[in-house]
Amino acid sequence: VQGKTAGMKKLFPGVLVCLTAVFGCSTFQSRTDLQPLHFTSSTRVNTNPQYCREPSGIVYSTRRGTLFIADDEGDICELLLDGTLVNKTHIDRADLEGITIDPATGLLYAIEEHSMIIMEFHPDSLEPLRQFPLEATSGAYLPARNNGNRGFEAITFVPDPGHPAGGTFFVASQGWRTRHAEGVAAVYEIAAPLQDTANTNQTARMVRQFEPGISDLSGLYYDASMQQLLLISDQHDILMLSGTDGNTRTSYKLPGKNQEGITLDSRGQLYIAEDSGDIIKYRLDATTRP
């Protein structure tokens, strides 16, 4: 995303990070100094909600010029930008939260909310290929496998030519709960052996984690042109821009409700998938350059 209007020149600090030594923070205080995003228009993508009834993730494919949607009921759909269905598949008993693409191979990856498994799909057939169970790291605050709606919610792939697998995944959680407080959400960098051509499942491992300082992260997208993460919180209606180092660059008030997925197309237009079944395309007259 590129550019910036005069009204957006002043940088505001990111969302406040609230941490304690053991239990994390209990609440997120809404900011009154969030920058406004300047939308010249918004358009509802004319898609049938029955294709993916509860979208939880969205990603644009530069290779194919289409959108891939994942939903809570185990469906993956490929849509033209006008909402026309290209292909669809269903994975039994899968709660898919977020979907992403490795731009080098075109392969799709979705995160299963509570099983801590990254699933790989072929973009042509949407056939499942491999699975990468996440190996828990000692001391890390991972979402519990049976923790209601507090599991993994989003995934994005960050290319790195120097990495053996061509890059790593960043996945986001809604937050964790203890007996004393509700913690902020976390973003985890995950390395998976994508370069291994074996058919057997391979274990993914956590590299590190950081806390953006907000609960209920619901969407995550890596903008390669700006080398930054776009994170959204549906509870707080906020879009945050962050470096992959975890440092928040700025944050914006986000329109709409129940925002579950976020992506950008090749023209820099922003697509938001909402849990209601809607996909909204936003055209910006200024971009989210920090």
Side-chain angles (χ1 to χ4, degrees):
V1 186
Q2 304 172 352
K4 173 170 63 176
T5 62
M8 298 173 67
K9 288 183 179 178
K10 182 178 179 182
L11 295 182
F12 288 93
V15 179
L16 290 176
V17 178
C18 171
L19 297 174
T20 63
V22 179
F23 300 119
C25 64
S26 58
T27 60
F28 168 78
Q29 299 298 322
S30 295
R31 296 295 297 270
T32 59
D33 59 355
L34 295 173
Q35 294 194 55
L37 272 176
H38 297 279
F39 297 101
T40 57
S41 65
S42 63
T43 306
R44 181 183 178 276
V45 177
N46 188 26
T47 183
N48 188 333
Q50 295 301 313
Y51 296 159
C52 283
R53 291 190 291 183
E54 295 183 34
S56 56
I58 185 171
V59 68
Y60 173 76
S61 170
T62 303
R63 288 188 178 195
R64 304 167 71 90
T66 59
L67 297 167
F68 287 95
I69 317 293
D71 80 359
D72 296 347
E73 298 181 356
D75 295 320
I76 295 179
C77 303
E78 182 181 12
L79 305 176
L80 299 180
L81 297 187
D82 64 3
T84 302
L85 181 67
V86 176
N87 198 4
K88 178 178 178 178
T89 194
H90 177 76
I91 310 300
D92 289 338
R93 297 183 296 279
D95 185 352
L96 301 179
E97 295 287 348
I99 189 166
T100 190
I101 293 176
D102 178 350
T105 63
L107 294 174
L108 301 167
Y109 297 89
I111 186 77
E112 216 285 331
E113 182 172 9
H114 295 295
S115 66
M116 298 195 296
I117 292 175
I118 296 173
M119 304 179 68
E120 180 183 73
F121 298 88
H122 196 285
D124 291 335
S125 63
L126 300 183
E127 175 187 357
L129 299 177
R130 295 179 293 177
Q131 295 186 1
F132 300 93
L134 175 58
E135 180 181 358
T137 302
S138 176
Y141 284 104
L142 285 175
R145 294 177 183 268
N146 298 307
N147 194 9
N149 293 322
R150 294 284 155 178
F152 288 127
E153 284 291 314
I155 184 171
T156 194
F157 186 78
V158 178
D160 178 0
H163 193 277
T168 55
F169 296 101
F170 281 65
V171 299
S173 70
Q174 283 187 307
W176 59 84
R177 290 172 177 165
T178 72
R179 292 181 302 169
H180 304 274
E182 179 176 321
V184 295
V187 176
Y188 308 87
E189 183 179 3
I190 306 296
L194 305 182
Q195 74 279 9
D196 192 336
T197 57
N199 292 326
T200 56
N201 297 335
Q202 301 291 323
T203 301
R205 62 180 179 83
M206 182 189 300
V207 177
R208 61 190 174 94
Q209 72 180 76
F210 64 85
E211 299 170 356
I214 189 171
S215 63
D216 287 298
L217 288 177
S218 57
L220 179 63
Y221 177 76
Y222 179 68
D223 176 12
S225 67
M226 293 299 299
Q227 298 183 332
Q228 63 186 359
L229 296 169
L230 280 64
L231 303 96
I232 56 177
S233 168
D234 58 343
Q235 178 179 346
H236 304 293
D237 300 329
I238 285 176
L239 166 64
M240 300 173 63
L241 306 186
S242 169
T244 55
D245 57 3
N247 290 326
T248 299
R249 297 176 176 180
T250 190
S251 49
Y252 300 92
K253 186 67 177 176
L254 189 65
K257 295 181 179 180
N258 302 316
Q259 307 94 339
E260 289 283 325
I262 182 171
T263 193
L264 295 167
D265 67 15
S266 57
R267 298 170 60 190
Q269 297 180 113
L270 186 71
Y271 292 79
I272 300 289
E274 299 184 346
D275 191 59
S276 60
D278 290 332
I279 300 169
I280 312 297
K281 178 176 68 175
Y282 294 98
R283 187 184 300 275
L284 308 178
D285 63 2
T287 61
T288 53
R289 180 185 294 273

PDB file of all heavy atoms in Angstrom, residues 126-146:
ATOM      1  N   LEU A 126      -8.286 -27.521  -4.895  1.00  0.00           N
ATOM      2  CA  LEU A 126      -8.571 -27.307  -3.470  1.00  0.00           C
ATOM      3  C   LEU A 126      -8.448 -28.619  -2.677  1.00  0.00           C
ATOM      4  O   LEU A 126      -8.990 -28.754  -1.587  1.00  0.00           O
ATOM      5  CB  LEU A 126      -9.967 -26.686  -3.263  1.00  0.00           C
ATOM      6  CG  LEU A 126     -10.179 -25.328  -3.925  1.00  0.00           C
ATOM      7  CD1 LEU A 126     -11.568 -24.789  -3.591  1.00  0.00           C
ATOM      8  CD2 LEU A 126      -9.102 -24.329  -3.497  1.00  0.00           C
ATOM      9  N   GLU A 127      -7.709 -29.553  -3.224  1.00  0.00           N
ATOM     10  CA  GLU A 127      -7.476 -30.831  -2.551  1.00  0.00           C
ATOM     11  C   GLU A 127      -6.481 -30.654  -1.410  1.00  0.00           C
ATOM     12  O   GLU A 127      -5.435 -30.023  -1.580  1.00  0.00           O
ATOM     13  CB  GLU A 127      -6.922 -31.847  -3.549  1.00  0.00           C
ATOM     14  CG  GLU A 127      -6.534 -33.181  -2.936  1.00  0.00           C
ATOM     15  CD  GLU A 127      -5.830 -34.086  -3.923  1.00  0.00           C
ATOM     16  OE1 GLU A 127      -5.687 -33.699  -5.099  1.00  0.00           O
ATOM     17  OE2 GLU A 127      -5.401 -35.183  -3.506  1.00  0.00           O
ATOM     18  N   PRO A 128      -6.790 -31.207  -0.220  1.00  0.00           N
ATOM     19  CA  PRO A 128      -5.813 -31.153   0.873  1.00  0.00           C
ATOM     20  C   PRO A 128      -4.568 -31.951   0.515  1.00  0.00           C
ATOM     21  O   PRO A 128      -4.657 -33.063  -0.030  1.00  0.00           O
ATOM     22  CB  PRO A 128      -6.562 -31.794   2.049  1.00  0.00           C
ATOM     23  CG  PRO A 128      -8.010 -31.745   1.676  1.00  0.00           C
ATOM     24  CD  PRO A 128      -8.050 -31.843   0.187  1.00  0.00           C
ATOM     25  N   LEU A 129      -3.407 -31.385   0.807  1.00  0.00           N
ATOM     26  CA  LEU A 129      -2.150 -32.046   0.480  1.00  0.00           C
ATOM     27  C   LEU A 129      -1.431 -32.514   1.734  1.00  0.00           C
ATOM     28  O   LEU A 129      -1.388 -33.695   2.025  1.00  0.00           O
ATOM     29  CB  LEU A 129      -1.262 -31.084  -0.325  1.00  0.00           C
ATOM     30  CG  LEU A 129      -1.850 -30.611  -1.659  1.00  0.00           C
ATOM     31  CD1 LEU A 129      -0.922 -29.600  -2.331  1.00  0.00           C
ATOM     32  CD2 LEU A 129      -2.118 -31.786  -2.583  1.00  0.00           C
ATOM     33  N   ARG A 130      -0.891 -31.610   2.506  1.00  0.00           N
ATOM     34  CA  ARG A 130      -0.155 -31.972   3.716  1.00  0.00           C
ATOM     35  C   ARG A 130      -0.726 -31.246   4.925  1.00  0.00           C
ATOM     36  O   ARG A 130      -1.473 -30.272   4.789  1.00  0.00           O
ATOM     37  CB  ARG A 130       1.331 -31.613   3.565  1.00  0.00           C
ATOM     38  CG  ARG A 130       2.059 -32.380   2.503  1.00  0.00           C
ATOM     39  CD  ARG A 130       3.519 -31.925   2.409  1.00  0.00           C
ATOM     40  NE  ARG A 130       3.640 -30.560   1.918  1.00  0.00           N
ATOM     41  CZ  ARG A 130       4.796 -29.907   1.804  1.00  0.00           C
ATOM     42  NH1 ARG A 130       5.934 -30.495   2.162  1.00  0.00           N
ATOM     43  NH2 ARG A 130       4.826 -28.668   1.335  1.00  0.00           N
ATOM     44  N   GLN A 131      -0.358 -31.730   6.105  1.00  0.00           N
ATOM     45  CA  GLN A 131      -0.696 -31.065   7.356  1.00  0.00           C
ATOM     46  C   GLN A 131       0.583 -30.848   8.163  1.00  0.00           C
ATOM     47  O   GLN A 131       1.492 -31.684   8.140  1.00  0.00           O
ATOM     48  CB  GLN A 131      -1.687 -31.888   8.180  1.00  0.00           C
ATOM     49  CG  GLN A 131      -3.043 -32.052   7.532  1.00  0.00           C
ATOM     50  CD  GLN A 131      -4.038 -32.739   8.440  1.00  0.00           C
ATOM     51  OE1 GLN A 131      -3.726 -33.091   9.581  1.00  0.00           O
ATOM     52  NE2 GLN A 131      -5.253 -32.926   7.955  1.00  0.00           N
ATOM     53  N   PHE A 132       0.619 -29.718   8.862  1.00  0.00           N
ATOM     54  CA  PHE A 132       1.772 -29.374   9.674  1.00  0.00           C
ATOM     55  C   PHE A 132       1.305 -29.081  11.097  1.00  0.00           C
ATOM     56  O   PHE A 132       0.936 -27.945  11.419  1.00  0.00           O
ATOM     57  CB  PHE A 132       2.498 -28.154   9.092  1.00  0.00           C
ATOM     58  CG  PHE A 132       3.014 -28.367   7.698  1.00  0.00           C
ATOM     59  CD1 PHE A 132       2.247 -28.008   6.604  1.00  0.00           C
ATOM     60  CD2 PHE A 132       4.258 -28.939   7.478  1.00  0.00           C
ATOM     61  CE1 PHE A 132       2.707 -28.194   5.313  1.00  0.00           C
ATOM     62  CE2 PHE A 132       4.731 -29.145   6.184  1.00  0.00           C
ATOM     63  CZ  PHE A 132       3.949 -28.760   5.101  1.00  0.00           C
ATOM     64  N   PRO A 133       1.259 -30.107  11.967  1.00  0.00           N
ATOM     65  CA  PRO A 133       0.889 -29.872  13.372  1.00  0.00           C
ATOM     66  C   PRO A 133       1.916 -28.961  14.036  1.00  0.00           C
ATOM     67  O   PRO A 133       3.120 -29.094  13.817  1.00  0.00           O
ATOM     68  CB  PRO A 133       0.904 -31.282  13.983  1.00  0.00           C
ATOM     69  CG  PRO A 133       0.867 -32.225  12.812  1.00  0.00           C
ATOM     70  CD  PRO A 133       1.545 -31.516  11.693  1.00  0.00           C
ATOM     71  N   LEU A 134       1.422 -28.040  14.857  1.00  0.00           N
ATOM     72  CA  LEU A 134       2.299 -27.093  15.533  1.00  0.00           C
ATOM     73  C   LEU A 134       2.821 -27.706  16.815  1.00  0.00           C
ATOM     74  O   LEU A 134       2.055 -28.125  17.679  1.00  0.00           O
ATOM     75  CB  LEU A 134       1.553 -25.793  15.829  1.00  0.00           C
ATOM     76  CG  LEU A 134       2.314 -24.742  16.638  1.00  0.00           C
ATOM     77  CD1 LEU A 134       3.605 -24.343  15.934  1.00  0.00           C
ATOM     78  CD2 LEU A 134       1.425 -23.527  16.872  1.00  0.00           C
ATOM     79  N   GLU A 135       4.117 -27.743  16.935  1.00  0.00           N
ATOM     80  CA  GLU A 135       4.754 -28.231  18.147  1.00  0.00           C
ATOM     81  C   GLU A 135       4.781 -27.111  19.179  1.00  0.00           C
ATOM     82  O   GLU A 135       5.330 -26.034  18.927  1.00  0.00           O
ATOM     83  CB  GLU A 135       6.173 -28.697  17.835  1.00  0.00           C
ATOM     84  CG  GLU A 135       6.937 -29.222  19.035  1.00  0.00           C
ATOM     85  CD  GLU A 135       8.345 -29.652  18.661  1.00  0.00           C
ATOM     86  OE1 GLU A 135       8.691 -29.577  17.482  1.00  0.00           O
ATOM     87  OE2 GLU A 135       9.090 -30.046  19.576  1.00  0.00           O
ATOM     88  N   ALA A 136       4.155 -27.354  20.319  1.00  0.00           N
ATOM     89  CA  ALA A 136       4.098 -26.330  21.360  1.00  0.00           C
ATOM     90  C   ALA A 136       5.486 -26.059  21.915  1.00  0.00           C
ATOM     91  O   ALA A 136       6.319 -26.956  22.034  1.00  0.00           O
ATOM     92  CB  ALA A 136       3.159 -26.776  22.472  1.00  0.00           C
ATOM     93  N   THR A 137       5.726 -24.807  22.247  1.00  0.00           N
ATOM     94  CA  THR A 137       6.998 -24.388  22.820  1.00  0.00           C
ATOM     95  C   THR A 137       6.837 -24.162  24.314  1.00  0.00           C
ATOM     96  O   THR A 137       5.869 -23.540  24.745  1.00  0.00           O
ATOM     97  CB  THR A 137       7.481 -23.097  22.153  1.00  0.00           C
ATOM     98  OG1 THR A 137       7.606 -23.331  20.753  1.00  0.00           O
ATOM     99  CG2 THR A 137       8.825 -22.666  22.706  1.00  0.00           C
ATOM    100  N   SER A 138       7.754 -24.651  25.086  1.00  0.00           N
ATOM    101  CA  SER A 138       7.677 -24.512  26.537  1.00  0.00           C
ATOM    102  C   SER A 138       7.620 -23.045  26.937  1.00  0.00           C
ATOM    103  O   SER A 138       8.414 -22.222  26.467  1.00  0.00           O
ATOM    104  CB  SER A 138       8.899 -25.175  27.183  1.00  0.00           C
ATOM    105  OG  SER A 138       8.890 -24.984  28.580  1.00  0.00           O
ATOM    106  N   GLY A 139       6.644 -22.708  27.773  1.00  0.00           N
ATOM    107  CA  GLY A 139       6.516 -21.360  28.284  1.00  0.00           C
ATOM    108  C   GLY A 139       5.700 -20.425  27.417  1.00  0.00           C
ATOM    109  O   GLY A 139       5.427 -19.301  27.815  1.00  0.00           O
ATOM    110  N   ALA A 140       5.312 -20.881  26.226  1.00  0.00           N
ATOM    111  CA  ALA A 140       4.553 -20.008  25.329  1.00  0.00           C
ATOM    112  C   ALA A 140       3.067 -20.056  25.680  1.00  0.00           C
ATOM    113  O   ALA A 140       2.534 -21.096  26.049  1.00  0.00           O
ATOM    114  CB  ALA A 140       4.745 -20.445  23.886  1.00  0.00           C
ATOM    115  N   TYR A 141       2.406 -18.925  25.561  1.00  0.00           N
ATOM    116  CA  TYR A 141       0.973 -18.858  25.794  1.00  0.00           C
ATOM    117  C   TYR A 141       0.245 -19.239  24.506  1.00  0.00           C
ATOM    118  O   TYR A 141      -0.097 -18.381  23.700  1.00  0.00           O
ATOM    119  CB  TYR A 141       0.555 -17.458  26.233  1.00  0.00           C
ATOM    120  CG  TYR A 141       0.893 -17.124  27.658  1.00  0.00           C
ATOM    121  CD1 TYR A 141       1.955 -16.286  27.957  1.00  0.00           C
ATOM    122  CD2 TYR A 141       0.142 -17.645  28.707  1.00  0.00           C
ATOM    123  CE1 TYR A 141       2.265 -15.976  29.264  1.00  0.00           C
ATOM    124  CE2 TYR A 141       0.443 -17.335  30.018  1.00  0.00           C
ATOM    125  CZ  TYR A 141       1.508 -16.502  30.288  1.00  0.00           C
ATOM    126  OH  TYR A 141       1.817 -16.195  31.591  1.00  0.00           O
ATOM    127  N   LEU A 142       0.030 -20.518  24.325  1.00  0.00           N
ATOM    128  CA  LEU A 142      -0.706 -20.980  23.150  1.00  0.00           C
ATOM    129  C   LEU A 142      -2.177 -21.096  23.490  1.00  0.00           C
ATOM    130  O   LEU A 142      -2.541 -21.412  24.631  1.00  0.00           O
ATOM    131  CB  LEU A 142      -0.180 -22.341  22.688  1.00  0.00           C
ATOM    132  CG  LEU A 142       1.165 -22.341  21.962  1.00  0.00           C
ATOM    133  CD1 LEU A 142       1.598 -23.757  21.679  1.00  0.00           C
ATOM    134  CD2 LEU A 142       1.078 -21.550  20.669  1.00  0.00           C
ATOM    135  N   PRO A 143      -3.073 -20.885  22.521  1.00  0.00           N
ATOM    136  CA  PRO A 143      -4.497 -21.089  22.782  1.00  0.00           C
ATOM    137  C   PRO A 143      -4.764 -22.540  23.169  1.00  0.00           C
ATOM    138  O   PRO A 143      -4.165 -23.464  22.616  1.00  0.00           O
ATOM    139  CB  PRO A 143      -5.154 -20.757  21.433  1.00  0.00           C
ATOM    140  CG  PRO A 143      -4.146 -19.945  20.703  1.00  0.00           C
ATOM    141  CD  PRO A 143      -2.815 -20.436  21.158  1.00  0.00           C
ATOM    142  N   ALA A 144      -5.641 -22.731  24.144  1.00  0.00           N
ATOM    143  CA  ALA A 144      -5.995 -24.078  24.553  1.00  0.00           C
ATOM    144  C   ALA A 144      -6.781 -24.768  23.448  1.00  0.00           C
ATOM    145  O   ALA A 144      -7.535 -24.143  22.718  1.00  0.00           O
ATOM    146  CB  ALA A 144      -6.819 -24.044  25.837  1.00  0.00           C
ATOM    147  N   ARG A 145      -6.619 -26.075  23.329  1.00  0.00           N
ATOM    148  CA  ARG A 145      -7.322 -26.814  22.278  1.00  0.00           C
ATOM    149  C   ARG A 145      -8.826 -26.806  22.481  1.00  0.00           C
ATOM    150  O   ARG A 145      -9.586 -26.894  21.528  1.00  0.00           O
ATOM    151  CB  ARG A 145      -6.807 -28.261  22.228  1.00  0.00           C
ATOM    152  CG  ARG A 145      -5.354 -28.370  21.784  1.00  0.00           C
ATOM    153  CD  ARG A 145      -4.873 -29.812  21.829  1.00  0.00           C
ATOM    154  NE  ARG A 145      -3.475 -29.925  21.488  1.00  0.00           N
ATOM    155  CZ  ARG A 145      -3.012 -30.137  20.265  1.00  0.00           C
ATOM    156  NH1 ARG A 145      -3.852 -30.252  19.264  1.00  0.00           N
ATOM    157  NH2 ARG A 145      -1.710 -30.230  20.041  1.00  0.00           N
ATOM    158  N   ASN A 146      -9.278 -26.710  23.706  1.00  0.00           N
ATOM    159  CA  ASN A 146     -10.720 -26.718  23.981  1.00  0.00           C
ATOM    160  C   ASN A 146     -11.085 -25.453  24.741  1.00  0.00           C
ATOM    161  O   ASN A 146     -11.618 -25.495  25.835  1.00  0.00           O
ATOM    162  CB  ASN A 146     -11.115 -27.967  24.787  1.00  0.00           C
ATOM    163  CG  ASN A 146     -10.831 -29.248  24.042  1.00  0.00           C
ATOM    164  OD1 ASN A 146     -11.259 -29.412  22.906  1.00  0.00           O
ATOM    165  ND2 ASN A 146     -10.110 -30.156  24.671  1.00  0.00           N
TER     166      ASN A 146
END
